[in-house]
Amino acid sequence: MNRHILLISITVALGGLLFGFDTAVISGTLTDLERVFHLDETTLGWVVSAALVGCVIGALFVGNLADRFGRKPLLLLSALLFLICAIGSGRSQSAQMLVFFRIIGGVAVGIASVICPIYISEIAPAKERGRLTMMQQITIVMGILLAFASNWIIANTRIAGDWFHTAADNHWRLMFEAQIIPAIIFFIGLLPVPESPRWLLTRNNETKAIRTLRLFYRAEEINAVLQHVKNHISGSGAQKTNWKEVVAPQNRKRLLIGITFAGIAQLTGINIIFYYAPKIFEQTQTGSSILFQTVLTGIINLLFTLLALLFIDKLGRKKLMLFGSLAMAVSMAVLSILFYRNTLNNYFVLVLILLYIAFFAVSWGATIWVYIAEIFPNSIRGTASSIATFANWGMNFLVSLTFPILLARLGGAGTFGLYALFNFISFLFVYKFIFETKGVSLEEIESIQV
């Protein structure tokens, strides 16, 4: 693997680390936020899901901007917004102020969730695209684990008081502010990153594209790569992406598959675990530290995401998703039965949740951002990926907003039973509509009939 491609992919994928950190850090602050801002189930759901409003906004508009102005400027913008969110959230004096800065952080997440995998997929060779684009998901789960771990450290060690002179009542502020360091690292790391050569070619900037391709390919390979990409770029359509082209008949079915796929990914229920893990564990009687159990979910998520690296370019995307959907459906169904029978005084609930996370990480978690970034044509990739990611974050918002209400009204049995059904539906959708993309160049994927 070319070292420049690897290094740049890792740098860009740091946006995923901030993505994961920003979305998961809220879980460790819930108890304090309920106390400080006097939140009930509905307002708690709003505080948690407010970031997802920003995600929806960022994801909806960033694709068109990326197709017009390039990938790199939007990545730099996301880094700045992550920094603003971290500072503002930690200094919030009211629930409304916190919601505002969480929305700003959500916009940053929405931008990163669209642009990071697109950029990596556009510089990666076809045979390595799955593993390289998966770096986005690996850094996301690393960010989730980092958020869980930093929450636990802040809450259970003397670091907050001795190093930062933060009282126990304000630990939640330090949890949010911990994001400042990776945000600064991400911004500085992006400065030397070149613009995507595929985007440059859609703007007829062949000189800069060749300059970038020299970092990634041997001299004898550059002309072949250049010609291959140029042959699949429409001169008129590539100059200016418009909505009419995105929804044109030849792209319409592919767009619908991408939108539905991205939305169903949230109906698996993975983020109710990451956002509300402490609330779920509060209903069990294992007796161990709730925040430590939450850290375990992050560790399992990371380990099985790394395991997926071995399979995504060998077994392919579709087989992994089929396996994951069925396995997650079974896990949720058994979890529902345990809550129905009120057999919660052991570690079986924790084991089931860890298994569910493992099944997600090795399947949907490994494929979601890879697949969205690769199924659309070059000329509309930014805008179409943005629409699909908008659907993902929109569904994430609804799931996160409604989970505390469902848990309060349906109980664990009804809530997890409902998500077992959603996972079975996701299996049927993948079986019927998802087409395989492993080992195929981005330009050749355009010619696959759907």
Side-chain angles (χ1 to χ4, degrees), residues 322-382:
L322 287 172
F323 162 75
S325 295
L326 276 185
M328 287 188 292
V330 173
S331 300
M332 282 289 187
V334 176
L335 193 58
S336 173
I337 293 170
L338 289 180
F339 272 89
Y340 178 76
R341 297 179 62 181
N342 198 31
T343 53
L344 306 174
N345 58 345
N346 54 58
Y347 283 93
F348 197 33
V349 171
L350 175 61
V351 170
L352 270 175
I353 289 175
L354 295 179
L355 282 173
Y356 165 82
I357 291 170
F359 294 140
F360 175 86
V362 82
S363 59
W364 282 79
T367 57
I368 173 70
W369 304 114
V370 174
Y371 200 72
I372 290 175
E374 64 188 7
I375 63 172
F376 300 115
N378 281 321
S379 61
I380 65 167
R381 181 170 296 116

Side-chain angles (χ1 to χ4, degrees), residues 113-163:
S113 64
V114 174
I115 305 301
C116 293
I118 285 178
Y119 183 96
I120 296 171
S121 73
E122 289 182 339
I123 68 170
K127 64 181 180 179
E128 297 167 342
R129 192 179 59 248
R131 283 175 292 170
L132 283 169
T133 310
M134 248 197 75
M135 284 186 182
Q136 163 85 347
Q137 182 62 18
I138 291 171
T139 55
I140 289 172
V141 300
M142 289 176 67
I144 291 171
L145 176 57
L146 182 62
F148 290 161
S150 67
N151 286 349
W152 183 83
I153 290 169
I154 291 168
N156 293 277
T157 69
R158 296 169 58 106
I159 288 177
D162 292 350
W163 292 15

Side-chain angles (χ1 to χ4, degrees), residues 405-424:
I405 301 170
L406 289 174
L407 198 59
R409 298 185 180 179
L410 300 181
T415 303
F416 293 117
L418 183 63
Y419 279 98
L421 176 62
F422 289 154
N423 276 284
F424 182 70

Side-chain angles (χ1 to χ4, degrees), residues 10-31:
I10 291 172
T11 302
V12 171
L14 287 177
L17 185 140
L18 284 154
F19 167 168
F21 191 102
D22 190 83
T23 55
V25 70
I26 190 74
S27 68
T29 69
L30 296 181
T31 301

Side-chain angles (χ1 to χ4, degrees), residues 242-253 255 380:
N242 57 67
W243 291 100
K244 186 178 292 187
E245 182 186 1
V246 173
V247 298
Q250 68 270 24
N251 296 325
R252 197 173 298 154
K253 188 172 182 180
L255 181 64
I380 65 167

